mmCIF file of all heavy atoms in Angstrom:
data_model
loop_
_atom_site.group_PDB
_atom_site.id
_atom_site.type_symbol
_atom_site.label_atom_id
_atom_site.label_comp_id
_atom_site.label_asym_id
_atom_site.label_seq_id
_atom_site.Cartn_x
_atom_site.Cartn_y
_atom_site.Cartn_z
ATOM 1 N N GLU A 22 61.515 24.860 -32.627
ATOM 2 C CA GLU A 22 60.074 25.064 -32.711
ATOM 3 C C GLU A 22 59.390 23.749 -33.098
ATOM 4 O O GLU A 22 59.971 22.907 -33.758
ATOM 5 C CB GLU A 22 59.719 26.117 -33.781
ATOM 6 C CG GLU A 22 59.945 27.525 -33.315
ATOM 7 C CD GLU A 22 59.463 28.535 -34.349
ATOM 8 O OE1 GLU A 22 59.771 28.361 -35.544
ATOM 9 O OE2 GLU A 22 58.774 29.485 -33.955
ATOM 10 N N VAL A 23 58.123 23.634 -32.687
ATOM 11 C CA VAL A 23 57.346 22.453 -33.007
ATOM 12 C C VAL A 23 55.919 22.908 -33.344
ATOM 13 O O VAL A 23 55.429 23.884 -32.793
ATOM 14 C CB VAL A 23 57.369 21.421 -31.830
ATOM 15 C CG1 VAL A 23 56.727 21.983 -30.610
ATOM 16 C CG2 VAL A 23 56.796 20.109 -32.220
ATOM 17 N N SER A 24 55.295 22.207 -34.288
ATOM 18 C CA SER A 24 53.907 22.563 -34.647
ATOM 19 C C SER A 24 52.977 22.035 -33.573
ATOM 20 O O SER A 24 53.198 20.987 -32.971
ATOM 21 C CB SER A 24 53.555 22.003 -36.020
ATOM 22 O OG SER A 24 53.620 20.604 -36.038
ATOM 23 N N PHE A 25 51.927 22.776 -33.340
ATOM 24 C CA PHE A 25 50.958 22.456 -32.303
ATOM 25 C C PHE A 25 49.573 22.523 -32.919
ATOM 26 O O PHE A 25 49.082 23.586 -33.287
ATOM 27 C CB PHE A 25 51.101 23.471 -31.153
ATOM 28 C CG PHE A 25 50.050 23.406 -30.077
ATOM 29 C CD1 PHE A 25 49.442 22.209 -29.725
ATOM 30 C CD2 PHE A 25 49.664 24.557 -29.410
ATOM 31 C CE1 PHE A 25 48.475 22.154 -28.732
ATOM 32 C CE2 PHE A 25 48.721 24.512 -28.412
ATOM 33 C CZ PHE A 25 48.108 23.317 -28.075
ATOM 34 N N LEU A 26 48.946 21.344 -33.087
ATOM 35 C CA LEU A 26 47.584 21.249 -33.601
ATOM 36 C C LEU A 26 46.633 21.305 -32.418
ATOM 37 O O LEU A 26 46.659 20.416 -31.566
ATOM 38 C CB LEU A 26 47.402 19.928 -34.365
ATOM 39 C CG LEU A 26 48.304 19.776 -35.580
ATOM 40 C CD1 LEU A 26 48.466 18.321 -35.953
ATOM 41 C CD2 LEU A 26 47.746 20.562 -36.737
ATOM 42 N N PHE A 27 45.806 22.355 -32.366
ATOM 43 C CA PHE A 27 44.951 22.527 -31.184
ATOM 44 C C PHE A 27 43.481 22.618 -31.595
ATOM 45 O O PHE A 27 43.170 22.990 -32.716
ATOM 46 C CB PHE A 27 45.349 23.784 -30.408
ATOM 47 C CG PHE A 27 45.310 25.054 -31.208
ATOM 48 C CD1 PHE A 27 44.155 25.801 -31.277
ATOM 49 C CD2 PHE A 27 46.436 25.491 -31.897
ATOM 50 C CE1 PHE A 27 44.115 26.958 -32.013
ATOM 51 C CE2 PHE A 27 46.403 26.652 -32.639
ATOM 52 C CZ PHE A 27 45.232 27.405 -32.703
ATOM 53 N N ASP A 28 42.620 22.240 -30.678
ATOM 54 C CA ASP A 28 41.201 22.402 -30.903
ATOM 55 C C ASP A 28 40.585 23.349 -29.865
ATOM 56 O O ASP A 28 39.374 23.507 -29.800
ATOM 57 C CB ASP A 28 40.460 21.048 -30.916
ATOM 58 C CG ASP A 28 40.791 20.177 -29.732
ATOM 59 O OD1 ASP A 28 41.182 20.713 -28.688
ATOM 60 O OD2 ASP A 28 40.640 18.957 -29.848
ATOM 61 N N ASP A 29 41.423 23.968 -29.067
ATOM 62 C CA ASP A 29 40.981 24.956 -28.076
ATOM 63 C C ASP A 29 42.119 25.973 -27.927
ATOM 64 O O ASP A 29 43.230 25.630 -27.528
ATOM 65 C CB ASP A 29 40.717 24.246 -26.742
ATOM 66 C CG ASP A 29 40.069 25.165 -25.720
ATOM 67 O OD1 ASP A 29 40.222 26.396 -25.823
ATOM 68 O OD2 ASP A 29 39.401 24.646 -24.811
ATOM 69 N N ASP A 30 41.830 27.250 -28.231
ATOM 70 C CA ASP A 30 42.847 28.283 -28.174
ATOM 71 C C ASP A 30 42.921 28.954 -26.799
ATOM 72 O O ASP A 30 43.369 30.095 -26.668
ATOM 73 C CB ASP A 30 42.634 29.324 -29.261
ATOM 74 C CG ASP A 30 41.384 30.145 -29.078
ATOM 75 O OD1 ASP A 30 40.552 29.786 -28.197
ATOM 76 O OD2 ASP A 30 41.207 31.134 -29.788
ATOM 77 N N ILE A 31 42.552 28.242 -25.751
ATOM 78 C CA ILE A 31 42.560 28.777 -24.387
ATOM 79 C C ILE A 31 43.949 29.303 -24.007
ATOM 80 O O ILE A 31 44.067 30.277 -23.275
ATOM 81 C CB ILE A 31 42.063 27.729 -23.369
ATOM 82 C CG1 ILE A 31 41.901 28.331 -21.963
ATOM 83 C CG2 ILE A 31 42.994 26.532 -23.300
ATOM 84 C CD1 ILE A 31 40.629 29.062 -21.783
ATOM 85 N N PHE A 32 44.997 28.688 -24.511
ATOM 86 C CA PHE A 32 46.363 29.112 -24.184
ATOM 87 C C PHE A 32 46.627 30.529 -24.662
ATOM 88 O O PHE A 32 47.505 31.212 -24.136
ATOM 89 C CB PHE A 32 47.409 28.137 -24.746
ATOM 90 C CG PHE A 32 47.493 28.123 -26.243
ATOM 91 C CD1 PHE A 32 48.456 28.858 -26.910
ATOM 92 C CD2 PHE A 32 46.599 27.361 -26.982
ATOM 93 C CE1 PHE A 32 48.532 28.832 -28.298
ATOM 94 C CE2 PHE A 32 46.671 27.343 -28.359
ATOM 95 C CZ PHE A 32 47.640 28.085 -29.020
ATOM 96 N N ASP A 33 45.871 31.012 -25.657
ATOM 97 C CA ASP A 33 46.034 32.385 -26.153
ATOM 98 C C ASP A 33 45.084 33.338 -25.445
ATOM 99 O O ASP A 33 45.392 34.508 -25.277
ATOM 100 C CB ASP A 33 45.788 32.407 -27.661
ATOM 101 C CG ASP A 33 46.115 33.747 -28.279
ATOM 102 O OD1 ASP A 33 47.217 34.269 -28.027
ATOM 103 O OD2 ASP A 33 45.258 34.274 -29.017
ATOM 104 N N ARG A 34 43.933 32.848 -24.999
ATOM 105 C CA ARG A 34 42.931 33.693 -24.360
ATOM 106 C C ARG A 34 43.185 33.912 -22.874
ATOM 107 O O ARG A 34 42.728 34.892 -22.300
ATOM 108 C CB ARG A 34 41.534 33.085 -24.549
ATOM 109 C CG ARG A 34 41.088 33.070 -25.992
ATOM 110 C CD ARG A 34 39.680 32.517 -26.161
ATOM 111 N NE ARG A 34 39.708 31.068 -26.054
ATOM 112 C CZ ARG A 34 38.969 30.380 -25.187
ATOM 113 N NH1 ARG A 34 38.183 30.967 -24.349
ATOM 114 N NH2 ARG A 34 39.059 29.056 -25.141
ATOM 115 N N VAL A 35 43.872 32.969 -22.234
ATOM 116 C CA VAL A 35 44.135 33.055 -20.795
ATOM 117 C C VAL A 35 45.647 33.203 -20.607
ATOM 118 O O VAL A 35 46.422 32.552 -21.293
ATOM 119 C CB VAL A 35 43.633 31.763 -20.089
ATOM 120 C CG1 VAL A 35 44.010 31.761 -18.634
ATOM 121 C CG2 VAL A 35 42.124 31.661 -20.247
ATOM 122 N N ASP A 36 46.025 34.042 -19.672
ATOM 123 C CA ASP A 36 47.434 34.279 -19.418
ATOM 124 C C ASP A 36 48.069 33.044 -18.767
ATOM 125 O O ASP A 36 47.908 32.795 -17.581
ATOM 126 C CB ASP A 36 47.615 35.495 -18.531
ATOM 127 C CG ASP A 36 49.055 35.925 -18.418
ATOM 128 O OD1 ASP A 36 49.825 35.656 -19.349
ATOM 129 O OD2 ASP A 36 49.387 36.571 -17.407
ATOM 130 N N ALA A 37 48.760 32.277 -19.587
ATOM 131 C CA ALA A 37 49.446 31.069 -19.096
ATOM 132 C C ALA A 37 50.873 31.044 -19.635
ATOM 133 O O ALA A 37 51.081 31.265 -20.827
ATOM 134 C CB ALA A 37 48.715 29.812 -19.516
ATOM 135 N N ASP A 38 51.810 30.806 -18.780
ATOM 136 C CA ASP A 38 53.219 30.762 -19.191
ATOM 137 C C ASP A 38 53.623 29.386 -19.683
ATOM 138 O O ASP A 38 54.688 29.226 -20.265
ATOM 139 C CB ASP A 38 54.122 31.139 -18.016
ATOM 140 C CG ASP A 38 53.912 32.566 -17.545
ATOM 141 O OD1 ASP A 38 53.561 33.415 -18.395
ATOM 142 O OD2 ASP A 38 54.071 32.827 -16.351
ATOM 143 N N TYR A 39 52.811 28.384 -19.432
ATOM 144 C CA TYR A 39 53.215 27.028 -19.733
ATOM 145 C C TYR A 39 52.033 26.197 -20.274
ATOM 146 O O TYR A 39 50.873 26.540 -20.070
ATOM 147 C CB TYR A 39 53.795 26.324 -18.508
ATOM 148 C CG TYR A 39 52.797 26.106 -17.393
ATOM 149 C CD1 TYR A 39 52.144 24.876 -17.287
ATOM 150 C CD2 TYR A 39 52.515 27.095 -16.459
ATOM 151 C CE1 TYR A 39 51.224 24.668 -16.273
ATOM 152 C CE2 TYR A 39 51.619 26.872 -15.450
ATOM 153 C CZ TYR A 39 50.972 25.665 -15.356
ATOM 154 O OH TYR A 39 50.057 25.444 -14.364
ATOM 155 N N LEU A 40 52.387 25.130 -20.930
ATOM 156 C CA LEU A 40 51.442 24.092 -21.328
ATOM 157 C C LEU A 40 51.920 22.797 -20.702
ATOM 158 O O LEU A 40 53.081 22.664 -20.351
ATOM 159 C CB LEU A 40 51.410 23.935 -22.864
ATOM 160 C CG LEU A 40 50.897 25.127 -23.652
ATOM 161 C CD1 LEU A 40 51.074 24.908 -25.154
ATOM 162 C CD2 LEU A 40 49.432 25.402 -23.332
ATOM 163 N N VAL A 41 51.015 21.860 -20.533
ATOM 164 C CA VAL A 41 51.373 20.588 -19.941
ATOM 165 C C VAL A 41 51.410 19.536 -21.053
ATOM 166 O O VAL A 41 50.461 19.394 -21.811
ATOM 167 C CB VAL A 41 50.346 20.178 -18.859
ATOM 168 C CG1 VAL A 41 50.702 18.824 -18.273
ATOM 169 C CG2 VAL A 41 50.290 21.244 -17.752
ATOM 170 N N LEU A 42 52.550 18.841 -21.154
ATOM 171 C CA LEU A 42 52.705 17.800 -22.165
ATOM 172 C C LEU A 42 52.736 16.445 -21.469
ATOM 173 O O LEU A 42 53.261 16.303 -20.368
ATOM 174 C CB LEU A 42 54.017 17.978 -22.928
ATOM 175 C CG LEU A 42 54.254 19.336 -23.607
ATOM 176 C CD1 LEU A 42 55.569 19.304 -24.372
ATOM 177 C CD2 LEU A 42 53.106 19.726 -24.505
ATOM 178 N N GLU A 43 52.172 15.466 -22.140
ATOM 179 C CA GLU A 43 52.251 14.091 -21.641
ATOM 180 C C GLU A 43 53.458 13.447 -22.258
ATOM 181 O O GLU A 43 53.485 13.172 -23.465
ATOM 182 C CB GLU A 43 50.985 13.308 -21.964
ATOM 183 C CG GLU A 43 50.998 11.953 -21.336
ATOM 184 C CD GLU A 43 49.686 11.184 -21.537
ATOM 185 O OE1 GLU A 43 48.795 11.678 -22.252
ATOM 186 O OE2 GLU A 43 49.575 10.094 -20.976
ATOM 187 N N VAL A 44 54.489 13.234 -21.460
ATOM 188 C CA VAL A 44 55.744 12.650 -21.911
ATOM 189 C C VAL A 44 55.924 11.300 -21.218
ATOM 190 O O VAL A 44 56.008 11.251 -19.990
ATOM 191 C CB VAL A 44 56.943 13.584 -21.599
ATOM 192 C CG1 VAL A 44 58.239 12.972 -22.084
ATOM 193 C CG2 VAL A 44 56.734 14.969 -22.192
ATOM 194 N N ASP A 45 55.920 10.247 -21.981
ATOM 195 C CA ASP A 45 56.048 8.895 -21.438
ATOM 196 C C ASP A 45 55.029 8.612 -20.328
ATOM 197 O O ASP A 45 55.363 8.026 -19.297
ATOM 198 C CB ASP A 45 57.472 8.636 -20.939
ATOM 199 C CG ASP A 45 58.501 8.712 -22.043
ATOM 200 O OD1 ASP A 45 58.162 8.355 -23.201
ATOM 201 O OD2 ASP A 45 59.637 9.104 -21.755
ATOM 202 N N GLY A 46 53.819 9.079 -20.516
ATOM 203 C CA GLY A 46 52.746 8.815 -19.547
ATOM 204 C C GLY A 46 52.739 9.738 -18.343
ATOM 205 O O GLY A 46 51.912 9.582 -17.458
ATOM 206 N N ILE A 47 53.647 10.704 -18.285
ATOM 207 C CA ILE A 47 53.742 11.628 -17.163
ATOM 208 C C ILE A 47 53.421 13.045 -17.660
ATOM 209 O O ILE A 47 53.878 13.472 -18.704
ATOM 210 C CB ILE A 47 55.168 11.619 -16.565
ATOM 211 C CG1 ILE A 47 55.502 10.215 -16.054
ATOM 212 C CG2 ILE A 47 55.289 12.635 -15.436
ATOM 213 C CD1 ILE A 47 56.939 10.037 -15.643
#
Side-chain angles (χ1 to χ4, degrees):
E22 283 186 313
V23 64
S24 62
F25 172 33
L26 298 158
F27 59 89
D28 51 24
D29 188 336
D30 67 350
I31 188 81
F32 67 97
D33 188 50
R34 294 182 284 123
V35 174
D36 189 25
D38 296 329
Y39 66 95
L40 295 173
V41 178
L42 305 183
E43 185 174 5
V44 181
D45 297 328
I47 300 171

